[in-house]
Amino acid sequence: MRDPLRAAGIVAVGLLILLLGTPGLDFLDSSLQRPEKRQKVMKNAGPFWGGLGLGIYDLSRKVRNPLLDFFGPLQRPFRVSQNWSLYRDGPGKLMRLEIRIDDRIIYRSVDNEYDWNEAVFRNRRLRPVVESTVMSTDSQNWRGLTRWVVQAARADFPETQRVDLIALHGPFPGDNLKEHHRIIAESPSWTARIVEANPNAQEESHEEGG
């Protein structure tokens, strides 16, 4: 009697670990809960593959996630926590920062041709500030970053009249990046403002004196 129970327990634990650590499910788009998103998936993928994908998503959200919430903390003391997402297929969208003074490029992320103050922007303490500024117009860090860039640009290029920090977004591998938004600071006030690239979007009202 003991052996069948032990075998059943081992199978149950194995299935639970497989369920909790199933590769890729942690990265499913949460917006798939919205009806319009689900309709788009069905239209693009077809009834079979779309239905299969949405079924997997629903199963993960309604069954796997509650189990993960319950059993997740129990995995840590036994050091059996599963995470099979080490090797993903790379970023789907790239973001770069470009800096111009008087419409002349002096810096662009990951570009050896325009490497002004590259070491500063890649510093582990400043890099999150750069990333959040490039990612969204809602960043809380763009004012401080812009002040520093303006001061550094004016120190290195005393004749500077305008500084632009441009957020470039685009698909991997980054051959077709387009402007998402930019931060503009101009002489004499050096008041910075954010302008979105979308012509239908309203200009941000946030301003910061230089």
Side-chain angles (χ1 to χ4, degrees):
M1 184 65 180
R2 182 179 300 175
D3 289 342
L5 288 177
R6 181 182 301 169
I10 292 174
V11 171
V13 171
L15 290 175
L16 180 62
I17 290 175
L18 178 63
L19 180 66
L20 298 180
T22 306
L25 294 186
D26 290 332
F27 302 103
L28 292 176
D29 190 351
S30 61
S31 67
L32 287 172
Q33 298 181 53
R34 302 204 304 264
E36 62 272 16
K37 185 72 172 182
R38 298 173 74 91
Q39 291 174 4
K40 184 177 180 180
V41 170
M42 293 295 290
K43 180 180 179 181
N44 293 339
F48 177 78
W49 292 112
L52 179 62
L54 291 176
I56 293 174
Y57 170 78
D58 291 337
L59 182 66
S60 177
R61 183 170 63 90
K62 296 177 181 179
V63 178
R64 177 178 175 271
N65 288 351
L67 288 174
L68 186 60
D69 292 339
F70 180 79
F71 287 103
L74 300 179
Q75 298 181 79
R76 299 190 187 101
F78 298 100
R79 299 181 182 276
V80 294
S81 179
Q82 299 297 300
N83 186 345
W84 296 359
S85 60
L86 295 178
Y87 304 104
R88 298 182 66 191
D89 57 357
K93 182 173 71 173
L94 296 182
M95 292 175 283
R96 299 280 186 258
L97 172 65
E98 181 176 286
I99 298 176
R100 300 183 184 185
I101 58 169
D102 299 330
D103 210 31
R104 177 167 65 93
I105 301 174
I106 60 172
Y107 175 78
R108 184 186 291 138
S109 304
V110 199
D111 191 329
N112 294 329
E113 184 177 356
Y114 305 107
D115 59 356
W116 177 74
N117 276 318
E118 169 71 15
V120 176
F121 295 118
R122 297 296 298 171
N123 181 277
R124 64 183 182 88
R125 296 184 181 276
L126 186 62
R127 190 165 56 206
V129 175
V130 176
E131 291 175 352
S132 64
T133 300
V134 173
M135 184 179 302
S136 170
T137 57
D138 294 328
S139 168
Q140 301 299 312
N141 299 312
W142 67 271
R143 296 173 176 84
L145 179 64
T146 302
R147 281 198 299 269
W148 183 87
V149 170
V150 168
Q151 291 172 3
R154 294 176 67 189
D156 290 347
F157 309 97
E159 302 301 320
T160 297
Q161 297 297 306
R162 170 170 167 155
V163 175
D164 290 65
L165 286 74
I166 304 172
L168 301 173
H169 292 195
F172 183 85
D175 298 329
N176 188 29
L177 299 181
K178 296 182 179 180
E179 180 178 333
H180 181 266
H181 62 273
R182 72 169 61 199
I183 304 169
I184 303 171
E186 297 180 276
S187 174
S189 68
W190 295 107
T191 299
R193 67 186 189 279
I194 293 182
V195 179
E196 296 186 39
N198 183 354
N200 296 321
Q202 294 182 350
E203 180 176 319
E204 290 285 334
S205 60
H206 305 298
E207 292 189 351
E208 177 69 16

